[in-house]
């Protein structure tokens, strides 16, 4: 069962447990919270046998036939996205705004009547934090503009959905590629990581924006051997003036080395190779970005039936990254389901005219009715 399926099942269990808790008396001897959770989990596992079967199929060779999907985008189309504000990030203390090294600014719950909207797994912003490029894990682009009132986000405008095209000009889903999970920018070039295929596509947006065609780039042989459902999850292009300038850094979600650490790659540049990110507390990587200060911010998530869902952001000095290195860094931010989070899979940053560094995160709702597409912003305060 993949992270999305586990996350979805846990949310069902949580909602069911809450509903039953209102019915049972506190001193009831017939049920306990632990017995109820075990019963609910057992029932859910039985109910999700098809999901487990699909996860098992994910270990098989990639499909040779086109992968039809009801959520794929067939052609470019303008869409309307509705936004509901999230006034407080902590559901247990609505006045709280400080969370580790971050300060909550604003958030939105995004919905759309367009069937293909959802599954957002990567995000890149312009220097003003307004124009955005996002990708769905169904092989689609989503572009548009974040609307602000003062410092708070109020909605999205000018949103367009379009299919990711391959070198032949056809949607990549036509060849069974769809799990587009990571994105990096380098001038007019956009790099997209495909998790299950373990490929990286490069697009030149000067040749048609989202209508441009993607070409595969050479990748290390070890990258192609990553687990199909735990492969490429984060891409960062290092700009000029930084250590490793011109290098594309590729992070796996949970490709593990012999020591149980998370495998990552340096592609291109002067010192290509492989390194590892120290894995702690069962967190997996879901995205990464690079601050102008030279700090890599790595967005991570974890799931367990006992502890639930958690996300964190770790800060790792870019100067510590090198072939053969094992890198680590402190956590700047931790959150759980007591906060307004979901399956957070995208992160980026911009600097305001006042000099504030603002982090933006987006969630992948797995096209599930019990999950949400969230857009969250925080100020980095230290």
């Amino acid at each position: 069962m993949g992270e999305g399926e586990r996350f979805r099942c846990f949310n069902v269990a949580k909602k069911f447990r809450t509903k039953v808790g209102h019915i049972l008396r506190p001193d009831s001897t017939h049920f306990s919270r632990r017995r109820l959770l075990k019963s609910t989990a057992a029932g859910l596992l039985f109910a999700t046998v098809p999901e487990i079967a699909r996860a098992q199929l994910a270990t098989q060779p990639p499909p040779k036939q086109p992968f039809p999907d009801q959520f794929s985008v067939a052609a470019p189309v303008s869409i309307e996205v509705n936004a509901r504000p999230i006034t407080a990030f902590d559901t247990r203390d609505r006045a709280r705004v400080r969370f580790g090294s971050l300060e909550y600014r604003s958030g939105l719950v995004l919905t759309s009547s367009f069937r293909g909207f959802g599954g957002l797994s990567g995000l890149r912003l312009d220097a003003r934090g307004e124009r955005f490029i996002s990708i769905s894990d169904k092989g689609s682009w989503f572009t548009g503009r974040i609307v602000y009132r003062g410092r708070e986000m109020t909605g999205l405008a000018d949103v367009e959905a379009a299919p990711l095209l391959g070198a032949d000009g056809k949607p990549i889903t036509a060849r069974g590629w769809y799990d587009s999970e990571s994105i990096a920018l380098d001038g007019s070039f956009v790099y997209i990581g495909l998790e299950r295929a373990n490929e990286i596509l490069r697009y030149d947006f000067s040749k048609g924006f989202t209508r441009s065609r993607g070409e595969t780039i050479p990748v290390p042989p070890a990258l192609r051997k990553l687990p199909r459902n735990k492969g490429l999850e984060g891409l960062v292009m290092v700009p000029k003036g930084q250590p490793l300038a011109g290098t594309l850094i590729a992070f796996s979600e949970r490709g593990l080395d012999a020591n149980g650490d998370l495998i990552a790659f340096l592609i291109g540049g002067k010192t290509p190779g492989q390194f590892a990110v120290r894995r702690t507390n069962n967190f997996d990587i879901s995205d990464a970005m690079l601050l102008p200060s030279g700090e890599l911010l790595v967005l991570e998530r974890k799931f367990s039936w006992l502890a639930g869902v958690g996300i964190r952001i770790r800060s790792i000095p870019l100067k510590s990254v090198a072939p053969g290195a094992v890198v680590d860094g402190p956590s700047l931010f931790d959150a759980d389901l007591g906060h307004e989070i979901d399956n957070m899979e995208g992160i980026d940053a911009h600097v305001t005219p006042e000099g504030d560094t603002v982090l933006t995160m987006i969630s992948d709702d797995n096209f599930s009715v019990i999950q949400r597409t969230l857009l969250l912003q925080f100020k980095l305060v230290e």
Side-chain angles (χ1 to χ4, degrees):
M1 187 185 295
E3 289 296 330
E5 288 81 4
R6 288 195 292 269
F7 192 100
R8 187 158 54 244
C9 292
F10 179 83
N11 272 313
V12 174
K14 183 172 180 287
K15 290 175 183 289
F16 180 74
R17 186 167 70 252
T18 301
K19 184 176 293 186
V20 175
H22 290 302
I23 300 173
L24 298 177
R25 299 191 311 274
D27 60 346
S28 171
T29 58
H30 297 291
F31 293 97
S32 68
R33 290 181 182 271
R34 185 177 298 275
R35 287 176 60 194
L36 179 60
L37 180 57
K38 287 182 177 179
S39 310
T40 305
L44 285 166
L45 285 173
F46 178 80
T48 57
V49 167
E51 298 287 354
I52 296 172
R54 281 197 290 274
Q56 290 173 337
L57 285 174
T59 63
Q60 302 303 313
K64 295 182 179 180
Q65 299 300 319
F67 181 83
D69 194 288
Q70 59 180 325
F71 301 114
S72 296
V73 178
V77 59
S78 295
I79 67 171
E80 182 178 351
V81 177
N82 302 308
R84 177 172 60 83
I86 300 173
T87 56
F89 180 66
D90 191 334
T91 62
R92 298 157 294 198
D93 181 359
R94 302 185 65 81
R96 183 184 173 198
V97 296
R98 181 68 181 268
F99 304 91
S101 298
L102 304 187
E103 181 181 287
Y104 183 63
R105 285 171 62 99
S106 66
L108 300 172
V109 181
L110 304 177
T111 58
S112 177
S113 60
F114 179 65
R115 191 172 183 83
F117 181 77
L120 302 181
S121 300
L123 176 73
R124 289 295 179 258
L125 302 168
D126 68 4
R128 296 170 57 88
E130 295 179 356
R131 305 296 308 188
F132 68 86
I133 303 171
S134 186
I135 50 170
S136 163
D137 56 16
K138 299 300 183 182
S140 306
W141 301 104
F142 285 92
T143 58
R145 177 170 56 88
I146 300 175
V147 180
Y148 293 87
R149 182 184 299 119
R151 53 174 267 168
E152 295 186 0
M153 300 182 294
T154 59
L156 301 185
D158 308 324
V159 181
E160 183 186 82
L164 274 74
L165 303 180
D168 57 2
K170 299 178 181 179
I172 62 170
T173 52
R175 62 178 301 175
W177 289 359
Y178 57 95
D179 218 352
S180 36
E181 294 278 353
S182 47
I183 180 171
L185 305 184
D186 181 23
S188 67
F189 292 104
V190 181
Y191 294 84
I192 300 296
L194 304 180
E195 184 179 29
R196 295 175 191 256
N198 289 327
E199 296 276 5
I200 297 176
L201 297 172
R202 186 178 70 174
Y203 293 84
D204 185 351
F205 267 27
S206 69
K207 299 179 179 179
F209 194 50
T210 57
R211 279 70 164 176
S212 59
R213 301 181 180 189
E215 301 275 354
T216 57
I217 68 168
V219 297
L223 188 151
R224 297 190 185 278
K225 297 178 181 178
L226 290 172
R228 287 191 61 234
N229 201 29
K230 299 296 177 186
L232 288 175
E233 196 75 17
L235 290 177
V236 173
M237 176 58 77
V238 183
K240 293 180 180 179
Q242 293 276 12
L244 302 175
T247 302
L248 181 64
I249 306 178
F251 297 89
S252 72
E253 178 180 0
R254 198 198 299 168
L256 303 179
D257 65 13
N259 297 316
D261 294 320
L262 299 157
I263 296 172
F265 300 91
L266 302 172
I267 302 173
K270 295 181 179 180
T271 55
Q274 182 174 320
F275 69 101
V277 178
R278 181 78 69 196
R279 188 176 190 236
T280 59
N281 300 324
N282 295 319
F283 275 96
D284 298 328
I285 293 175
S286 57
D287 199 11
M289 58 82 54
L290 179 64
L291 292 175
S293 62
E295 294 292 312
L296 280 167
L297 297 188
V298 180
L299 176 63
E300 298 178 302
R301 65 184 173 195
K302 68 176 179 179
F303 170 85
S304 76
W305 283 102
L306 293 178
V309 178
I311 65 167
R312 74 177 179 187
I313 299 173
R314 263 197 292 177
S315 175
I316 296 174
L318 179 63
K319 62 184 180 182
S320 68
V321 177
V326 179
V327 300
D328 198 354
S331 173
L332 303 181
F333 170 82
D334 291 83
D336 57 27
L337 285 179
H339 304 96
E340 293 282 5
I341 66 168
D342 207 278
N343 182 30
M344 311 310 297
E345 288 211 4
I347 187 171
D348 202 13
H350 72 281
V351 179
T352 69
E354 297 75 29
D356 293 336
T357 297
V358 176
L359 306 186
T360 303
M361 287 183 278
I362 199 163
S363 70
D364 172 2
D365 67 352
N366 291 300
F367 294 94
S368 167
V369 295
I370 60 172
Q371 290 183 245
R372 301 175 296 169
T373 299
L374 304 182
L375 190 67
L376 306 174
Q377 285 193 338
F378 298 82
K379 182 175 80 170
L380 181 62
V381 292
E382 60 178 48

